Amino acid sequence: MAVIVQLVQGLQSLAGHLTNPANLTQILATAFIGIALILILTQIAQRINVDKNAPPEVPYWIPYLGSAIAFSVNPIGFYEDNRKKYGDVFTYTMVGRKFTVCLGIEGNNFVFNAKLVDVSAEESYTPLTTPVFGKGVVYDCPNHMLMEQKKFVKWGMSNDAFRAYVSEIEEETRSYFQRWDNKVGGKGDLFTAMGELIINTASRTLMGPEIRGLMDESVAQLYHDLDDGFQPINMFFEWLPLPSYFRRDTAHRKMRDIFMKVIEERRANNITDKTDMLQSLMNQTYKDGTPFSDVDACHLMIALLMAGQHTSSTTATWALLFLAQEPQLVKDMLAEQKDVLGSADASLTFDALKNMTLLDNVIRETLRLRPPIIMILRKVLRPLNYTGTDYVIPKGHYLAASPIATQVDEKYYKDAYKFDPRRWESIVEEDSGETVDFGFGKIAGGGARNPNLPFGAGRHRCIGESFAYVQLKTLISTFLRMYELELTEKGMPGSDFTKMFVQPELPVEINYKPRK
Ligand code: HEM
Ligand SMILES: *[C@@H]1O[C@H](CO)[C@@H](O)[C@H](O)[C@H]1NC(C)=O
Ligand SMILES: *[C@@H]1O[C@H](CO)[C@@H](O)[C@H](O)[C@H]1NC(C)=O
Ligand SMILES: *[C@@H]1O[C@H](CO)[C@@H](O)[C@H](O)[C@H]1NC(C)=O
Ligand SMILES: *[C@@H]1O[C@H](CO)[C@@H](O)[C@H](O)[C@H]1NC(C)=O
């Protein structure tokens, strides 16, 4: 009892103190000195205890947060500025973690080809990905299982499957734009349109017709809830009592149940003639005999949905924004279509798309300048010597690769910031002829020394590239046949770096006019 009485008296006297103006000044002065002390101590802490072999560190004022704000406003500028001061390899602090970025083609190679005993992708990504995808797949299993899962997925991306997909994507695109004004034209919300089209086409092709059928109602909302739980905050804080975290968890369960029901129905009806991804994941076994269960298949389907959505939809958006400024290029692209297909309105086919090199180069150039993924992470498992230097990167740091740095480097690309798809006509991508196989098929071995790596390299390299190209090429060529484009008075949008995947600053509108 006495304790409580004392406590109440103490609180009363404190309240009296606070409301007295003379004391308020004193309190503010104390707070000011306190903050100044923390700032000074933060600076001192950064100077003592430095490991002289560790790479240089970017200094910061706010403890814990470190450089988080400067980085998220403009990561590319942040890297460029610090690269001038410290060179290609340096460490910065964000939200209590140390990131050591390795820039340049050597840096790309160092991170992408780091050994499994030295670094771990799963330890970096799992707080973000596992609650969304579910357990047992991707970054919630040993790496050798991920390598086999990537092989299962590749089997679902055969050329035969792609042949069927092209007409489906063309049809989805045409039917989507029924909602735009096809008499006089107007202002269209390009970003929203591309987001919806990519999800409609991916669900129609990879996910299966059953999922596509649900896309306009329940699944679209579930996707949004999953997406809201797939943000940088989720990477730093595995769990917080926020509504977005609860909605994410509910959406995950519902999404898994939807895929599960489709699988059960296919099994019950002995349906085996489907060529989509779901069907190919339904009957897989790991090399050691462990079956890939139906729950695993559902989880991997969610992972593919998340991996392919923003990457492709932002790429489609940027490509069309660039094209809106290049009417002559668009004319040349339409001429290329006519050339390859024999007529301007013949249906697209997979084999014809392969011959459209200008279209190909437009997508390649868009991804060079606007790669959706600008930071690739691996957690350091044991001290790592950085090739060719005395630097030892401490255990516990996150290694970061940022291939965009070489993608916009004058050293490799003349007028590096200019959108010039034809530059690819004279670039022969270096091919050492060596290949490696991490378990999901052969990929270029010297690949990580290529300055243009929007799909990454090494064992974690993207397996969705060919699907993304089929989807983007079909969508963009169909779109260009339908509309003439122009930027609005707002011009080209800037980039928003605060999302997991870089996207244009919203809203993104475009002036369109139906083509006669
Ligand atoms: C323009 C489109 C795309 C871009 C720019 C892109 C980019 C990337 C990058 C940079 C990585 C490497 C990540 C790392 O090393 O940590 C990656 C991995 C991956 N991507 Fe893509 N991606 C795209 C589309 C897709 C699509 C459509 C799918 C599936 C349908 C997909 C599935 C995957 C998978 C399964 C991985 C492997 C992750 C790992 O092994 O750790 N991606 N992607
Ligand atoms: C599916 O196949 C099994 C065994 O082959 C058979 O018993 C069952 O009746 C079939 N179901 C349907 C719906 O055809
Ligand atoms: C599943 O795979 C096994 C062995 O690989 C094969 O014998 C069987 O026909 C497959 N079943 C279906 C439904 O594809
Ligand atoms: C694509 O180009 C190749 C080589 O020029 C040609 O043999 C083939 O018929 C073309 N295919 C289509 C569908 O245009
Ligand atoms: C890494 O560097 C340290 C000190 O610079 C050295 O003692 C060690 O042997 C090196 N380790 C490897 C694997 O090269």
Side-chain angles (χ1 to χ4, degrees), residues 69-121:
I69 295 169
F71 183 84
S72 55
V73 171
N74 181 0
I76 299 168
F78 178 85
Y79 282 158
E80 275 179 2
D81 292 347
N82 287 297
R83 186 183 202 176
K84 281 183 204 129
K85 290 185 208 152
Y86 307 107
D88 277 348
V89 182
F90 54 87
T91 300
Y92 54 101
T93 302
M94 289 202 300
V95 198
R97 288 135 171 105
K98 301 259 184 210
F99 295 82
T100 298
V101 69
C102 307
L103 300 171
I105 53 173
E106 285 311 321
N108 289 344
N109 187 53
F110 186 77
V111 178
F112 286 124
N113 282 332
K115 294 205 183 74
L116 269 188
V117 289
D118 290 331
V119 303
S120 158

Side-chain angles (χ1 to χ4, degrees), residues 86-280:
Y86 307 107
D88 277 348
V89 182
F90 54 87
T91 300
Y92 54 101
T93 302
M94 289 202 300
V95 198
R97 288 135 171 105
K98 301 259 184 210
F99 295 82
T100 298
V101 69
C102 307
L103 300 171
I105 53 173
E106 285 311 321
N108 289 344
N109 187 53
F110 186 77
V111 178
F112 286 124
N113 282 332
K115 294 205 183 74
L116 269 188
V117 289
D118 290 331
V119 303
S120 158
E122 51 275 26
E123 282 194 34
S124 325
Y125 297 140
T126 199
L128 172 79
T129 54
T130 303
V132 173
F133 304 169
K135 294 199 168 297
V137 299
V138 191
Y139 303 121
D140 188 56
C141 61
N143 185 267
H144 67 89
M145 288 171 83
L146 170 59
M147 296 301 108
E148 285 198 63
Q149 290 160 17
K150 288 172 80 169
K151 180 180 69 187
F152 303 157
V153 171
K154 276 194 86 175
W155 283 338
M157 293 190 178
S158 64
N159 284 353
D160 281 339
F162 288 163
R163 284 202 173 86
Y165 293 170
V166 170
S167 56
E168 293 175 343
I169 298 170
E170 185 176 1
E171 194 184 293
E172 287 283 345
T173 308
R174 291 195 181 276
S175 99
Y176 182 86
F177 286 107
Q178 294 304 318
R179 67 191 77 182
W180 280 23
D181 186 332
N182 293 300
K183 290 211 175 68
V184 284
K187 216 174 244 187
D189 180 344
L190 189 65
F191 186 76
T192 303
M194 291 305 122
E196 292 181 355
L197 249 178
I198 294 290
I199 202 166
N200 288 356
T201 53
S203 54
R204 170 95 177 256
T205 55
L206 295 180
M207 308 283 140
E210 300 94 329
I211 303 295
R212 174 65 187 94
L214 295 168
M215 205 61 236
D216 300 317
E217 338 148 21
S218 45
V219 176
Q221 184 54 47
L222 293 180
Y223 171 73
H224 278 293
D225 289 346
L226 285 176
D227 204 34
D228 284 345
F230 202 77
Q231 298 299 333
I233 187 177
N234 302 96
M235 184 134 146
F236 287 110
F237 304 101
E238 194 154 359
W239 199 84
L240 291 176
L242 296 178
S244 64
Y245 282 66
F246 292 110
R247 282 200 303 264
R248 171 196 73 186
D249 295 343
T250 310
H252 164 75
R253 281 191 299 273
K254 288 189 179 165
M255 199 76 157
R256 181 200 56 204
D257 292 347
I258 287 175
F259 279 120
M260 202 54 151
K261 213 169 131 221
V262 177
I263 293 182
E264 280 164 1
E265 275 170 16
R266 286 189 185 183
R267 288 203 194 287
N269 297 310
N270 295 339
I271 294 172
T272 51
D273 61 342
K274 294 274 191 291
T275 52
D276 53 39
M277 184 64 67
L278 186 62
Q279 193 72 27
S280 104

